[in-house]
Amino acid sequence: MKESALQIAHRAYQPKMPIALRGEVCLKEGERTQSVADQEAIKQLFPDTYGLPVVEIQAATAQAAKPARNVGVILSGGQAPGGHNVISGLFDGLKRMNPDSRLYGFLGGPSGLIEGKYTELTADIIDQYRNTGGFDIIGSGRTKLEETWQFDKGIEVCNRLGITAIVIIGGDDSNTNACVLAEYYLQKQCGIQVIGCPKTIDGDLKNKMIETSFGFDTACKVYSELIGNIQRDANSAKKYWHFIRLMGRSASHIALECALQTQPNITIISEEVEAQKMTLGDIVDDIARVVAQRAAKGLNFGTVLVPEGLIEFIPAMRALIQELNDLLADGKEFDVNGLRDDAKRLYQSLPEAIAKQLTMDRDPHGNVQVSLIETEKLLIEMVGKRLAEMKANGEYTGKFATQHHFFGYEGRCAVPSNFDADYCYSLGQTAAQLIQAGKTGYMAIVRNLTRPAEEWTAGGVPVTMMMNMERRNGKMKPVIQKALVDLNGKPYRYLVAHRDEWALSTDTYIFPGPIQYYGPAEVCDQPTVTLKLEHE
Amino acid sequence: MKESALQIAHRAYQPKMPIALRGEVCLKEGERTQSVADQEAIKQLFPDTYGLPVVEIQAATAQAAKPARNVGVILSGGQAPGGHNVISGLFDGLKRMNPDSRLYGFLGGPSGLIEGKYTELTADIIDQYRNTGGFDIIGSGRTKLEETWQFDKGIEVCNRLGITAIVIIGGDDSNTNACVLAEYYLQKQCGIQVIGCPKTIDGDLKNKMIETSFGFDTACKVYSELIGNIQRDANSAKKYWHFIRLMGRSASHIALECALQTQPNITIISEEVEAQKMTLGDIVDDIARVVAQRAAKGLNFGTVLVPEGLIEFIPAMRALIQELNDLLADGKEFDVNGLRDDAKRLYQSLPEAIAKQLTMDRDPHGNVQVSLIETEKLLIEMVGKRLAEMKANGEYTGKFATQHHFFGYEGRCAVPSNFDADYCYSLGQTAAQLIQAGKTGYMAIVRNLTRPAEEWTAGGVPVTMMMNMERRNGKMKPVIQKALVDLNGKPYRYLVAHRDEWALSTDTYIFPGPIQYYGPAEVCDQPTVTLKLEHE
């Protein structure tokens, strides 16, 4: 197998860890906790895992020998840089406590647990994957662990392998389900603990206890590298407006972080669009206004960041999509006259290609696949039309040549930044400690992340503490609250305070360059701007 | 002005240089040269710059004081990483020879010379741009220096500024024109030298004397970073075929180099398509066959690299495009019946969106803009159809879910790799020496590039030596031969020897990761695989 020079060299990187995790540890328990909302409902659903204390890992003097443990690990959902380091941290932590401990990886996501598909992760395998991107060590999958027959299957498989703890590395839904599983296994007294780890590039799994999900740092840095390169190009060629759509699902955290790292001319934040009840026309007008203002200064180029989830945050578009979903359910033929008047007018105002995407590309349930809609092209076409009108009115005299980009898959499996490599390795080590301490229904947490790694703190937070009740597919369910961009938060406010300057400037672009793994700490070991603004 | 940590830290990087350029130098002249072809014709057109010797720069003992020189520099055509380092090398070289020398940058490309738009490049400005990507220090442009009134304007401007030498940083056409300018100025005896530097990310400006053009290294490494990330994703999610179109104009050097760096499942090389007279259907069949073979192994994912220029290398498509250009000339309306039968059949076989791109997006001369055709989508759609037929015949049973990408603007202005930073800085220093030695009609060259920088050699090659006569817009013109991918060359042969294995394998992907500027030399200072295969 041929490998790149970085693959070979970077395997030797030793992730930095909090001091508390480096030797013998003890757990300090805090007060009993409450869920963030709907306490009674959550308590009823999770009688055995509700109210547990937050725990913090502290250094301790040498302790008694620890029993060997067999542990299973699962990667759940979309890839995020650092997943392999969670696993290597978990492996090293378990082996350090007792070399006879074993780590099993369930293959292809949660379905691996149910179907009993697994591999033992030995030192040889782990060493191949240290500090690498991707989830290919055991694969990931999107099967949801929600039903008791799945849980019972899991018990069978675990018993067969002597597994007494499962670590689930996933996003908000996967961690919610991990807690349901923990509760079920506690009630069944089957002796299997469940620990979660906070994963998602989207950055929407964060709260009072979780400062950031892993992968967000690396993914944003990859996208920012590319945006910076494009801005350098725009500023050199001086002839294109670049419309750049960024992955990130509903939340605009990625677009916001990339904006803070690169200072583009225009950044759309979906949460703001919704809060201000903006129409598609309003967004188009805003962009066209900046294009015209720059043109008046002779600047017929620029950059626009578009969050992937935008379409669904425009109230009228969301209504249209809902109507289309109903209209097209069960493979029905599309007839524009089936739409209500408002929706019909909006639909007919859309560029042909986009209208087609809305009606043609449906998922197996007949739903419009919002992530496939090329919003960046939609905006280019509509802004172009608006500018043509403005030109006719004498309000605009520039050129509007464009390029469009979508960045997503480029970042989900990148080699983790040192931050993510360190953070993930520490999360894995923390998970090992929580298992050793007999905890279940907890997520591993590492905090104080804007400080150097040795000052980070590690511990566990009961998942129930982060839950509330939300309506999902018509039913009230206990879920971890998803974090959208906080319009009162410092990162967003920083954007708002600076965006007018960035819109019209010629020299405010920042060029982050590619992620560096070697070199000065200020280049290699910085957290995201979001994290700094939120926690420093 | 806010800057990224890498911007600030990397400015201090001191490019590595050949030993011969570090102190006092002398020029060793070789034999008189001949053009690569059409010697008589080229000699007639370039009586004063034809037949000049190749020169090599050698270390010398201390020499007499050198006169101060005023020099102008021009960035011509598309951006390539390292352009700023050519300029900083030129600046440092001139100042070292005589601190009273001055460097003027003509703004916005060759038009800056004609229109007398310039700025003096002082140490303050130069220092801001050391080791940075982009051409924004003075901007670039695509005006062609071809006509005597332009040349005469140039003399006026140079005389006004006391400029006695111009350095033109550009691709094959710009360097051809630089030589025409050198010849004209020699004949006019106006005392203005012209020196060229080999720039283009496309990699098609190379020959016996020029090992590689600058920018190719960095751009390919950026694209390979992204392709590697996508391959890690494909191999983790195991559900998408990624079709990735790569910039590079006609030649497939970029696609080939990226293939050598990442080992994707399928790589299309335009030059091979042409040599084998392949049809679009042949290409589609080839891809579909690999997709089906992988599906039979349970691998419903993979990567396909598509060179930007592909369409024009498919003989039937080229004929169609030519017919469309004639048919649509002068803004005529499109009528499919205006096409000959063959072309009409091919046109009607194309997916609707692509057919539309062929007829709608024309340049100001009515020509189809080939670079705007989304060939990756064309192939996805046609391969999808072919697979559906194969499925109906029982020849295929997999899933074909796809993602498409186009990488170009992400790489043209990236922070130059150490290789490009060193190479470009050395080219600039070399240009300064050629100027000092009174040379004109030369390109600066730096060779032996697969060795450590101290062992590189530097010198000058007469542009006429690389010329032949080619038909351009119906007229025979002297031009530097463009280098397409050599189907007998080692890089292509390496691909051919390995691609069957890469097509069906599960573990041959290579993940280069992002360009590193710090760290071990084997990670930071490697040239392209193409260069290694061609010159080691």
Side-chain angles (χ1 to χ4, degrees), chain A residues 95-117:
Chain A
K95 291 286 183 183
R96 187 160 56 101
M97 290 188 284
N98 190 319
D100 292 331
S101 289
R102 293 179 159 205
L103 181 61
Y104 293 93
F106 289 107
L107 302 178
S111 63
L113 172 65
I114 304 163
E115 298 164 8
K117 293 189 179 155

Side-chain angles (χ1 to χ4, degrees), chain B residues 146-184:
Chain B
E146 289 180 315
E147 305 188 38
T148 36
W149 71 265
Q150 298 174 316
F151 304 165
D152 290 335
K153 272 281 183 195
I155 296 175
E156 274 177 49
V157 172
C158 287
N159 286 346
R160 205 156 67 227
L161 295 167
I163 287 175
T164 55
I166 300 170
V167 175
I168 296 179
I169 301 168
D172 50 348
D173 284 345
S174 301
N175 276 288
T176 294
N177 293 341
C179 192
V180 175
L181 190 67
E183 178 71 31
Y184 184 83

Side-chain angles (χ1 to χ4, degrees), chain A residues 44-257:
Chain A
Q44 277 207 340
L45 289 162
F46 297 89
D48 291 353
T49 53
Y50 188 85
L52 299 171
V54 172
V55 297
E56 189 179 330
I57 295 174
Q58 300 189 326
T61 48
Q63 292 178 331
K66 297 181 183 69
R69 297 289 302 269
N70 286 5
V71 173
V73 63
I74 295 170
L75 291 164
S76 180
Q79 283 84 261
H84 289 162
N85 270 29
V86 177
I87 294 176
S88 62
L90 175 62
F91 178 86
D92 290 352
L94 292 171
K95 291 286 183 183
R96 187 160 56 101
M97 290 188 284
N98 190 319
D100 292 331
S101 289
R102 293 179 159 205
L103 181 61
Y104 293 93
F106 289 107
L107 302 178
S111 63
L113 172 65
I114 304 163
E115 298 164 8
K117 293 189 179 155
Y118 65 90
T119 192
E120 186 182 345
L121 294 167
T122 57
D124 279 1
I125 298 172
I126 293 286
D127 287 348
Q128 283 299 312
Y129 288 90
R130 288 183 191 274
N131 311 309
T132 59
F135 276 8
D136 41 330
I137 187 170
I138 48 174
S140 184
R142 295 191 183 272
T143 301
K144 288 191 190 307
L145 291 177
E146 289 180 314
E147 306 187 36
T148 36
W149 71 265
Q150 298 174 316
F151 304 164
D152 291 333
K153 273 280 184 195
I155 297 175
E156 274 177 49
V157 171
C158 287
N159 285 346
R160 207 157 64 227
L161 294 167
I163 288 175
T164 55
I166 300 170
V167 175
I168 296 179
I169 301 168
D172 49 349
D173 284 345
S174 301
N175 277 288
T176 295
N177 293 340
C179 193
V180 175
L181 190 66
E183 178 70 31
Y184 184 83
Y185 285 174
L186 259 188
Q187 289 180 16
K188 278 243 172 177
Q189 299 188 323
C190 64
I192 304 171
Q193 300 159 239
V194 185
I195 299 292
C197 281
K199 172 230 72 173
T200 171
I201 65 162
D202 303 336
D204 55 4
L205 174 49
K206 68 175 171 182
N207 50 50
K208 213 180 89 186
M209 297 310 296
I210 297 174
E211 295 183 357
T212 188
S213 56
F214 79 77
F216 177 69
D217 185 90
T218 307
C220 287
K221 283 173 180 166
V222 172
Y223 306 144
S224 295
E225 170 199 356
L226 303 180
I227 296 164
N229 288 358
I230 286 170
Q231 291 191 153
R232 194 62 108 163
D233 200 299
N235 204 30
S236 298
K238 299 187 192 300
K239 68 177 188 186
Y240 290 121
W241 273 90
H242 292 267
F243 282 63
I244 304 167
R245 179 165 52 109
L246 295 166
M247 206 176 244
R249 297 232 176 170
S250 300
S252 302
H253 296 294
I254 289 180
L256 176 55
E257 171 63 24

Side-chain angles (χ1 to χ4, degrees), chain B residues 122-133:
Chain B
T122 57
D124 278 1
I125 298 173
I126 293 287
D127 287 347
Q128 283 299 311
Y129 287 91
R130 289 182 191 273
N131 312 309
T132 59

Side-chain angles (χ1 to χ4, degrees), chain A residues 4 229 232-233 410 412 511, chain B residues 4 229 233 410 412 511:
Chain A
S4 74
N229 288 358
R232 194 62 108 163
D233 200 299
E410 294 80 356
R412 306 196 315 173
F511 314 110
Chain B
S4 74
N229 288 358
D233 202 300
E410 294 80 357
R412 305 196 317 173
F511 315 110

Side-chain angles (χ1 to χ4, degrees), chain A residues 443-519:
Chain A
M443 280 174 76
I445 52 170
V446 173
R447 292 159 52 87
N448 214 19
L449 295 169
T450 57
R451 305 291 308 154
E454 54 268 27
E455 297 175 33
W456 292 353
T457 59
V461 55
V463 179
T464 53
M465 184 185 173
M466 302 178 282
M467 284 187 180
N468 66 356
M469 301 298 291
E470 290 180 20
R471 186 171 299 279
R472 295 281 170 96
N473 299 323
K475 273 200 278 191
M476 290 308 284
K477 287 217 163 192
V479 295
I480 297 177
Q481 267 187 334
K482 204 186 266 295
L484 297 181
V485 167
D486 177 3
L487 300 185
N488 293 311
K490 284 188 191 170
Y492 172 74
R493 274 165 31 211
Y494 188 94
L495 174 74
V496 171
H498 293 84
R499 63 183 171 190
D500 290 347
E501 183 198 350
W502 300 348
L504 302 184
S505 172
T506 58
D507 63 354
T508 47
Y509 290 150
I510 299 180
F511 314 110
I515 295 175
Q516 297 296 295
Y517 303 100
Y518 307 89

